[in-house]
Amino acid sequence: MQEELRMVTEPVVVQAIINGERVDTEKRYTRENPANPEEIVGYGPVNTREDAVRAIDAAAAAFPAWAQTPLRERIAHMRRAIARFREAIPELVPLLSREHGKPVYDAQGEMFVSLAWMDYACDIAEEALAEKVEQHENGKTIITRDPMGVVAAITPWNYPLALSTIKIAPALIAGNTMVLKPSPFAPLAVSKAVEWMAGEFPAGVLNMVHGDADVGVELTTNPKVAKIAFTGGTKTATHIMKSASDTIKNMTLELGGNDAALVLSDFDVNDERAMRRLVISNFLTTGQICMIAKRVYVHRSIYDAFVEKYIEAANKWIRVGDAFHPDVTIGPVNNLPQVRHVERLIEDARSRGAKVIPLGRILDENVFAKGYFMQPTVVLGAGYDDPIVVEEQFGPTVPVLPYDDEEQGIQLVNNSIYGLTSSVWGEEEHALRVARRIEAGTTMINTAAVQGLDIRYPFGGFKQSGIGREYGVEGLLGYTELHVINVPKVGELPNIPE
Ligand code: NAD
């Protein structure tokens, strides 16, 4: 993924896509560069509920023919759409970095994950969606995987391309049509990608509208929508579940996390690479990842040595600056409300007596002062129930807390309304034993967050971190209904009177 970048500095204008047409609006919203909020990176359309209705109608009209299109042809359309996405990467990477704030290497990583998943979904589709025929003593049963209809996909700002393509590929391959609504906090690169991809499908198969809760409400209440694929905050999901309940929609919900890293007594604090992986798993994408390690529990026997080495490793790896600075590892926070949320949690921890230690290096003080930058911090001495520990911070700060025995450590990890991912650090067999007791959709050993992600396996949360799974075969089957066709030999109940 080392293509030349094609930087466009004029503001980019993106539109809605409804029934194969790009649709503009008179009013537009702006998206600024979080590293320099005076710089407008682009404009998006201000769509209304009526626009959402038109997009849903187009998707509903396109559904019957698309569902009847042979699977191989649908896969071929998707492969062409992926090729368009791939060609666009030199333009998408800098655009994503500018609208989001994430460093270029991080934006490239997002492209890589998006492509890997879409390719994989194409590769596995024929086997995963094949109908099964069973001959048995009572005749024959055929089980098919049918598409559901119109999928409303609603995505967040932190990984806008990865979290949209994670839905587009399986939903469309399985024969559904879609209306996607990206987040207004990072709408530009994903809209460009969807615009190019949509051209490779019949009109109406892949639509997109912009907006926030206003448009979202239409997508989640409209009776023509069969399934909601949502990634975002747990609180937003409670609104969505209520909206969707009147028409009993199918849902996949990928929600918040407060993922824990549990460091066992036999973790080697002098293993510099492991320590670096842990730091990265706390601060990659400025901590704005659902699956980032957001609280670290360390066995008391190694706590002091751990903290010393952790701070050393963090100071080495963390270099805060503009996405295009050659030495940058961490960019700004994506938006001001998020900065305020993280600041509030840090201030609260400080007011309760915790020590907040700044980490890393600021590459350019002038750049830093202008943008939505925050100096990354580690919080020591927080209480187990303090908001910085129990709430999802989704930003560049992490509490590190000691625990006394393993039982307590496991309890602390599991004592959360969330259960997205987790990690255990220490001797492998020991860590594996502990991992089996953790309540989370994924547990990683001696690594964490996207470093340990494998798109071939299902991803999703326990408890209030979500419902259903994305990635893996399950991530494709989640867009299908099981349809059982019985051809019994007799077909009558024996005890029914003539
Ligand atoms: P958010 O919940 O504020 O917004 C997500 C999307 O929902 C946006 O497109 C937004 O416009 C839309 N929306 C808001 N209100 C709505 C409503 N009432 N009806 C319909 N749609 C509505 O989340 P965010 O701030 O964009 O993203 C951060 C959150 O996402 C964090 O909690 C993070 O953990 C979570 N997340 C989860 C995963 C995962 O895979 N589990 C991945 C990434 C992010």
Side-chain angles (χ1 to χ4, degrees):
M1 190 85 43
Q2 288 307 322
E3 292 94 344
E4 288 271 302
L5 302 182
R6 276 203 306 269
M7 178 87 94
V8 178
T9 44
E10 290 88 60
V12 168
V13 180
V14 298
Q15 282 128 348
I17 296 175
I18 300 176
N19 205 25
E21 303 282 329
R22 293 169 55 167
V23 182
D24 214 346
T25 52
E26 218 166 276
K27 257 173 71 187
R28 288 174 177 161
Y29 69 95
T30 53
R31 178 61 204 153
E32 73 270 23
N33 180 347
N36 176 13
E38 283 168 14
E39 180 191 321
I40 303 296
V41 184
Y43 301 95
V46 176
N47 286 129
T48 58
R49 279 186 80 150
E50 288 69 38
D51 296 329
V53 171
R54 284 171 52 218
I56 294 166
D57 286 346
F63 174 68
W66 182 244
Q68 288 306 310
T69 302
L71 175 59
R72 278 203 184 156
E73 268 180 53
R74 296 200 303 256
I75 296 171
H77 280 280
M78 184 54 69
R79 296 240 191 240
R80 288 198 292 276
I82 296 169
R84 295 299 306 275
F85 184 105
R86 198 172 258 119
E87 279 165 28
I89 284 178
E91 196 172 326
L92 294 177
V93 166
L95 183 57
L96 178 60
S97 285
R98 285 175 65 231
E99 68 170 327
H100 186 285
K102 60 173 76 182
V104 167
Y105 80 89
D106 198 357
Q108 283 169 328
E110 180 166 351
M111 303 299 157
F112 177 80
V113 175
S114 305
L115 282 172
W117 164 245
M118 290 194 290
D119 282 336
Y120 185 71
C122 289
D123 293 345
I124 61 170
E126 284 197 66
E127 194 182 328
L129 300 176
E131 69 175 41
K132 294 189 176 47
V133 183
E134 284 189 19
Q135 304 283 350
H136 44 73
E137 69 288 354
N138 191 29
K140 183 164 76 171
T141 297
I142 303 163
I143 304 169
T144 65
R145 290 275 178 184
D146 294 0
M148 295 172 149
V150 177
V151 175
I154 302 176
T155 55
W157 50 262
N158 65 326
Y159 272 67
L161 284 107
L163 298 172
S164 298
T165 52
I166 202 174
K167 300 170 176 50
I168 294 170
L172 270 50
I173 290 170
N176 304 280
T177 56
M178 177 177 277
V179 181
L180 171 79
K181 192 202 77 59
S183 163
F185 286 117
L188 303 173
V190 65
S191 297
K192 279 285 167 204
V194 168
E195 187 183 308
W196 289 315
M197 290 177 76
E200 298 299 335
F201 296 97
V205 169
L206 179 55
N207 307 273
M208 176 173 57
V209 286
H210 288 248
D212 204 2
D214 46 351
V215 170
V217 164
E218 185 59 44
L219 295 179
T220 52
T221 50
N222 190 301
K224 290 186 185 167
V225 171
K227 173 166 181 118
I228 296 169
F230 172 75
T231 304
T234 296
K235 196 154 175 232
T236 310
T238 64
H239 297 300
I240 290 180
M241 288 184 89
K242 283 179 197 134
S243 299
S245 65
D246 278 347
T247 46
I248 316 286
K249 298 189 193 309
N250 184 290
M251 277 185 219
T252 300
L253 303 175
E254 293 290 351
L255 311 178
N258 190 15
D259 299 357
L262 185 62
V263 181
L264 303 177
S265 55
D266 49 23
F267 175 72
D268 178 4
V269 297
N270 294 309
D271 182 343
E272 285 182 20
R273 289 202 70 82
M275 199 58 105
R276 181 170 169 268
R277 285 199 298 279
L278 184 50
V279 168
I280 292 170
S281 72
N282 298 139
F283 290 103
L284 188 70
T285 320
T286 322
Q288 304 164 118
I289 312 184
C290 55
M291 61 186 305
I292 210 114
K294 294 176 179 132
R295 46 196 174 114
V296 181
Y297 299 103
V298 183
H299 195 272
R300 200 180 292 278
S301 62
I302 59 164
Y303 183 77
D304 291 341
F306 175 92
V307 168
E308 189 192 324
K309 294 289 181 184
Y310 179 88
I311 291 175
E312 224 175 272
N315 283 337
K316 222 190 239 175
W317 186 72
I318 295 175
R319 299 180 293 274
V320 186
D322 184 87
F324 296 90
H325 193 293
D327 295 332
V328 71
T329 54
I330 290 183
V333 172
N334 171 268
N335 59 74
L336 215 44
Q338 197 58 31
V339 173
R340 298 288 172 254
H341 167 71
V342 183
E343 280 175 350
R344 178 183 67 76
L345 287 173
I346 294 172
E347 270 328 299
D348 176 85
R350 219 192 296 268
S351 74
R352 292 166 193 262
K355 211 162 129 189
V356 180
I357 300 174
L359 300 172
R361 194 151 55 87
I362 290 160
L363 292 168
D364 183 327
E365 289 290 351
N366 291 329
V367 171
F368 188 88
K370 260 196 196 168
Y372 305 147
F373 287 99
M374 288 185 78
Q375 170 109 39
T377 48
V378 61
V379 177
L380 304 177
Y384 291 138
D385 297 324
D386 288 357
I388 190 101
V389 179
V390 297
E391 284 184 34
E392 181 185 40
Q393 70 270 44
F394 218 63
T397 186
V398 67
V400 176
L401 307 103
Y403 66 91
D404 289 299
D405 67 72
E406 210 157 283
E407 241 2 86
Q408 184 201 14
I410 293 167
Q411 266 177 32
L412 288 167
V413 170
N414 288 340
N415 184 22
S416 172
I417 59 164
Y418 299 109
L420 190 58
T421 77
S422 55
S423 56
V424 185
W425 303 71
E427 187 275 322
E428 189 175 313
E429 283 307 313
H430 182 192
L432 278 169
R433 279 198 307 279
V434 171
R436 289 197 162 82
R437 299 197 41 208
I438 289 182
E439 298 161 0
T442 304
T443 300
M444 299 171 214
I445 307 296
N446 290 320
T447 193
V450 286
Q451 298 170 110
L453 179 71
D454 190 329
I455 54 96
R456 293 170 300 177
Y457 299 98
F459 177 86
F462 283 22
K463 302 188 259 186
Q464 293 186 35
S465 285
I467 297 176
R469 293 291 182 271
E470 294 188 305
Y471 288 144
V473 175
E474 289 78 359
L476 179 59
L477 300 184
Y479 291 94
T480 63
E481 290 281 16
L482 276 172
H483 184 184
V484 175
I485 303 170
N486 272 331
V487 192
K489 272 192 195 135
V490 181
E492 291 169 3
L493 292 175
N495 60 336
I496 303 279
E498 290 285 335

